[in-house]
Amino acid sequence: MRVLVVPYPASLDVVGGHVTQQLETVRALERAGVTARVGSAEEALNPDFDIVHAFGDIRPLLRLGRPKGRLVVSPIYFPRWFVLGPYFQRPGYPYVLATSFRHYAGWLRRPRARYRRRTDFRSMQAALATADVVVVNSSAEASLVRHDAADLPPLRV
């Protein structure tokens, strides 16, 4: 079995947990006797791979075409409330109130921005629904994904 791990474009430029997760997935597959490596979205269209495991937003991959093998996705998921809601950097009722006010006032100043963010979020959810399997990091992440998306392939922790 051959597996190609496909990171989100430019995600390997920033070091963080997502990079560790991708590289450790490859190492774990190799320890299990599976041939695995990190590759590009263009390589994912090669029919030599039985499984393409994509990380993050898979829309750039799907724009090139759907991989020939099974498509497994680890979404590195940000829930709807986080993507579309205000972001609080510190606690406290006055701060939360002021941040919420600025956030929602921004929607009034730029009404099309809210529409674009919602459309973008729905587009990501639709792309996620095209996968054969979605692999999440925890049952908590699985419940967030299930809460936000209606039509999903099987989820595995």
Side-chain angles (χ1 to χ4, degrees):
M1 179 179 297
R2 296 191 61 203
V3 176
L4 181 70
V5 172
V6 179
Y8 181 74
S11 71
L12 297 178
D13 294 347
V14 179
V15 177
H18 62 289
V19 175
T20 301
Q21 184 178 2
Q22 293 162 24
L23 298 177
E24 288 301 318
T25 296
V26 170
R27 288 184 185 121
L29 289 168
E30 288 173 338
R31 284 192 301 270
V34 175
T35 303
R37 68 178 179 87
V38 176
S40 68
E42 290 80 11
E43 290 177 275
L45 301 178
N46 186 335
D48 293 341
F49 296 103
D50 302 306
I51 296 174
V52 172
H53 188 160
F55 283 78
D57 186 359
I58 62 169
R59 292 177 296 176
L61 169 65
L62 293 176
R63 281 187 204 111
L64 298 173
R66 193 166 193 301
K68 306 295 184 236
R70 290 178 51 95
L71 179 59
V72 176
V73 179
S74 291
I76 318 295
Y77 195 72
F78 291 98
R80 184 177 192 277
W81 62 264
F82 182 82
V83 172
L84 300 177
Y87 179 67
F88 305 111
Q89 294 181 341
R90 60 178 196 238
Y93 183 74
Y95 174 77
V96 169
L97 190 62
T99 301
S100 296
F101 178 75
R102 279 194 310 275
H103 175 78
Y104 294 113
W107 292 132
L108 294 174
R109 287 192 309 272
R110 298 178 319 277
R112 300 283 304 158
R114 182 174 176 91
Y115 174 77
R116 281 192 304 274
R117 286 178 77 185
R118 282 186 172 184
T119 302
D120 185 60
F121 189 79
R122 285 189 196 115
S123 171
M124 280 192 290
Q125 296 289 41
L128 190 59
T130 66
D132 294 308
V133 177
V134 176
V135 178
V136 293
N137 292 317
S138 67
S139 56
E141 185 178 14
S143 66
L144 288 172
V145 172
R146 283 190 189 105
H147 178 266
D148 288 348
D151 301 323
L152 284 177
L155 270 91
R156 302 283 184 258
V157 177

